[in-house]
Amino acid sequence: MSKAPRADERTPHPADRHDLIRVHGARENNLKDVSIEIPKRRLTVFTGVSGSGKSSLVFDTIAAESQRLINETYSSFLQGFMPSLARPEVDLLDGLTTAIIVDQQRMGADPRSTVGTATDVNAMLRILFSRLGKPHIGPPSAYAFNVPSVKASGAITVERGDKKAVRTTFQRTGGMCPRCEGRGTVSDIDLTQLYDDSKSLNEGALTIPGFTPGGWNYRLYAESGLVDADKPIRRYTKKELQDFLHHEPARMKIAGINMTYEGLVPRIQKSFLAKDKEGMQPHIRAFVERAVTFTTCPDCDGTRLSEGARSSKIRKVSIADACAMQISDLAAWVRGLSEPSVAPLLTALQLTLDSFVEIGLGYLSLDRPAGTLSGGEAQRVKMIRHLGSSLTDVTYVFDEPTVGLHPHDIQRMNGLLLQLRDKGNTVLVVEHKPETIAIADHVVDLGPGAGTEGGTVCFEGTVDGLRGADTVTGRHLDDRASVKSEVRRPSGVLEIRGARAHNLRDVDVDIPLGVLAVVTGVAGSGKSSLVHGSIPAGEDVVSIDQSPIRGSRRSNPATYTGLLDPIRKAFAKANGVKPALFSANSEGACPTCNGAGVIYTDLGMMAGVSSTCEDCEGKRFQPAVLEYLLGGRDISEVLAMSVTDAEEFFGSGEAKTPAAQRVLARLADVGLGYVSLGQPLTTLSGGERQRLKLATHMGDKGGVYVLDEPTTGLHLADVEQLLGLLDRLVDSGKSVIVVEHHQAVMAHADWIVDLGPGAGHDGGTIVFEGTPAELVAARSTLTGEHLAAYVGA
């Protein structure tokens, strides 16, 4: 006799039906009314050519709406401190879960931010040393280079029932080095770069940006009454020079206004040296590099820690020694500690350090400044936080997690993505590498082209289904470049002798010139240290690194490449007016929106709203400016053109402008023919920005081009175009040196330099020099094995 099924077996629970993320009518950036269903608790890879709309769908629609909805759950007071997120252009989003974005944004470059502080490993180490360190110097804060030691006096009354206790002193022990204030470096200011001592203040002696005569910075000194503004600085008395350069901050009336006066040197230190140098405007950065020299702090020897913190040790190892160790070595040291009183802490610390090694970052040290990490390294460091997380059923969003990874390391990254999925999370990955596409449970291919030619879903389904699909990705998924049968002969060699930057071990190598040379090796083996440390950008060297393009929504390809200058001059010449009229950031700007094209309305505690400017209809210019024509087009119509259309427009007829034509040809060469000239830089994808930078530097006069991973953000089809561009550069007489992991670029090279054998102190040596064919035949290195498998040898 069969048993009747239980009620819960007959009908699924209503809560179990929500196993899809549904997107209907997504229109962010170039998306064309995209509707899609994404399975939850699975690994979904989004692919497609660069600029096809992947990031617009994943980051700007799904992840952005999830974060906006979470922010709305907080109080209005807290929301005032959070970034205002507008609702994405989409009809319906259903089934969203909490989104955690792990992107490639560089970490803050504050000198006190390190790999250890960014991942909480430092916090665990500080607790460990406060418990086990000998001699005992205090609580965890005594080992923190971000916490200064403080002593204070004053009466504090503590009431306990009828008793009153009065304490008159307060003391906090911190680990910060008092000399460098936890920065590890001390700055020395060259006074000759601050002023011309042969002049008086009234004669414009100050040579500091922003301290021009008439400005408040200038008047602070000239009208303070502490120094004679008409006397040359070299004739100041000892007291006048002290007041001018080193006076302590003091409130006084200057020019009839109560102001804080302080010496020039402390003012420079607060104004310029407390900021991230990379975030400064170019002329300010140039001044700082000219006027300030940074040297290792002599008191703490660069460790950032006080003498007390350095004196406390566990098994002859101080916290400074532990942070300076390679993380793989530190993990082995922690594994050797056995102390029952801190067993749970040791277990958690061990797991975190092992995660670093597992993710391919074992070559880093905890005292490595966070701002020096590459985009790929920064993304993996952020990933460390989530590997041991107790959270499940959240959506993790990754932006090309394989960037900067050798094929050997990609296998480990794949394992980590699957580990996150198997914990019950939804993992969304924007990716181009076929090795990562291959592990997907679900694939979404966007296209068919880029920019206005993209924005639609070309394929949805399994990896096998994608292979058989007639899409750009499907056709190129199994592409394999073949090793060259004949390679170019070098025209000379670039000699590098005794390279010792970072982990390099006195490396001697000859890099051939006049050919395509590729420097490769596992992540952390010393490639960038060798190339950028030994071949500095100079008169004959054009160096294109991975640093991100900085720009606001006012910046566009025309302004970034310098293309707008010849265009403005052409319009001005044709109409007999001045060029400034044809700049949306200058005289020609629409007065209503100040040339932005949109009006931003701040709604206080609620999310702000941006709307198209009604006066200029988003064209950004005054109506009078749009009456001036060149070749029958106004300036807004020209900026709306694609690179391809503009190249034709400026190539002949009345609008013929050779200077503009040259820049446009370079943009077309790198595959950006579909991008419009006035498209805001903030809407370009990572791959598009990388190629925009490449196109800009192609105009530089140099015989040697040094490129750092130019395939970043490029689709398989785009890599073919990049290889053609590199070939044209070499054939035109240039020498091209590429730091790269992509096997297609390795196979296409004329010469390969392979570093290794491992990362960190296990790398730093040359393990192979020769042609790709010789590397494949030898199979003597990790790179050789993976390249041989790639080309099917």
Side-chain angles (χ1 to χ4, degrees), residues 20 85 103 121 375 425 512 590 611 659 662 721 766 777:
L20 292 173
L85 300 169
D103 60 19
V121 178
N425 298 305
C590 164
S611 54
R662 284 193 293 273
Q721 188 163 10
I766 305 291

Side-chain angles (χ1 to χ4, degrees), residues 353-403:
L353 293 173
D354 286 342
S355 294
F356 271 101
V357 179
E358 198 179 339
I359 210 167
L361 293 177
Y363 59 89
L364 296 178
S365 61
L366 295 180
D367 61 4
R368 169 90 173 260
T372 65
L373 299 177
S374 69
E377 286 172 333
Q379 181 169 226
R380 282 175 279 155
V381 165
K382 293 173 194 172
M383 197 174 175
I384 297 287
R385 296 178 185 173
H386 305 299
L387 291 175
S389 171
S390 302
L391 289 173
T392 60
D393 227 341
V394 298
T395 300
Y396 285 100
V397 185
F398 290 94
D399 185 10
E400 290 190 61
T402 60
V403 162

Side-chain angles (χ1 to χ4, degrees), residues 38 42-48 54 58 414 417 427-433 435-446 459 461 463 466:
I38 302 162
R42 296 291 184 271
L43 173 61
T44 301
V45 170
F46 294 79
T47 187
K54 304 181 296 297
V58 179
N414 285 349
L417 294 173
V427 181
L428 308 182
V429 183
V430 172
E431 189 52 84
H432 294 295
K433 294 278 173 69
E435 298 98 320
T436 301
I437 296 173
I439 65 163
D441 301 308
H442 189 72
V443 180
V444 178
D445 188 17
L446 283 100
F459 173 82
V463 178
L466 177 63

Side-chain angles (χ1 to χ4, degrees), residues 593-614:
C593 63
N594 293 321
V598 294
I599 304 287
Y600 181 77
T601 308
D602 187 359
L603 299 178
M605 293 296 184
M606 296 167 63
V609 175
S610 60
S611 54
T612 303
C613 174
E614 292 181 3

Side-chain angles (χ1 to χ4, degrees), residues 17 74 92 567:
R17 294 175 188 157
Y74 299 123
L92 175 69
I567 291 177

Side-chain angles (χ1 to χ4, degrees), residues 114 269 498 774:
T114 65
Q269 288 172 329
E774 290 166 350

Side-chain angles (χ1 to χ4, degrees), residues 613-627:
C613 174
E614 292 181 3
D615 286 6
C616 69
E617 296 177 343
K619 293 180 179 178
R620 304 174 64 192
F621 293 90
Q622 298 174 19
V625 173
L626 299 179
E627 292 177 10

